[in-house]
Amino acid sequence: MFTRILVPSDGSAVSRLAAEAAIDLAQACGAGIVALSIVVPDAPLLVEGGLVPDPGQHEEDLLERAHGVVDALERSALRAGVDCKPVTRIAPDASQAIVLAASDYACDLIVMGSHGRRGLSRLLAGSVTQEVLASATVPVMVFRPARPDEQTHTGAVDDLA
């Protein structure tokens, strides 16, 4: 069915839900996973006569967090007997980085979460998931946050918390 599953994660609850499902699916298919976390650098802040914080330090902090996200996903996958390659990238466009990683690592499925933003927040923040759906050349399985009236899956992926 699937041989390698890309699991992009930002460490959020919906990303953890998607990672749990990807690990379960990989285990059932005998597939491996590629755990991906992307750091999107901040656009430079131009302030006339003002001091601009060192974006390099902020990027390093974000990269350290990204390593933590993929390392936790790798531990959970290995506990389930699923081979996992942790990958972090710095990229200006997360959706393009996800699609490129799927190609680079010969993934035949992308499993990811969607924050379910609506209205103005979606317009301002954009939708990485929507962009991946529009440009991916492999199937994309999307998990969205549960509404308060819905039950959520609570698996044994405690390292992803």
Side-chain angles (χ1 to χ4, degrees):
M1 182 176 227
F2 298 109
T3 58
R4 189 168 293 124
I5 302 169
L6 180 66
V7 185
S9 180
D10 61 4
S12 65
V14 71
S15 288
R16 290 191 303 270
L17 177 65
E20 290 174 11
I23 290 169
D24 289 347
L25 180 59
Q27 191 177 39
C29 294
I33 65 171
V34 175
L36 174 68
S37 191
I38 301 161
V39 172
V40 178
D42 291 332
L45 180 61
L46 301 176
V47 179
E48 187 175 326
L51 294 174
V52 178
D54 177 11
Q57 182 59 45
H58 178 66
E59 217 170 79
E60 287 176 23
D61 294 342
L62 292 174
L63 196 53
E64 185 176 323
R65 183 181 183 289
H67 285 300
V69 168
V70 296
D71 289 347
L73 208 159
E74 179 185 33
R75 285 190 302 273
S76 295
L78 293 176
R79 269 199 313 274
V82 173
D83 182 50
C84 178
K85 177 168 186 57
V87 177
T88 56
R89 290 191 172 173
I90 298 173
D93 183 320
S95 59
Q96 287 180 356
I98 291 167
V99 172
L100 183 60
S103 174
D104 288 350
Y105 294 98
C107 296
D108 47 9
L109 176 68
I110 300 170
V111 176
M112 62 189 298
S114 174
H115 292 282
R117 292 185 182 101
R118 304 266 187 262
L120 184 59
S121 98
R122 180 173 177 183
L123 179 64
L124 295 174
S127 174
V128 171
T129 305
Q130 188 64 37
E131 291 295 322
V132 170
L133 284 166
S135 55
T137 58
V138 297
V140 180
M141 182 181 295
V142 179
F143 288 80
R144 63 170 179 78
R147 294 188 315 246
D149 61 329
E150 294 177 329
Q151 292 275 355
T152 59
H153 170 73
T154 53
V157 187
D158 50 17
D159 268 350
L160 296 177

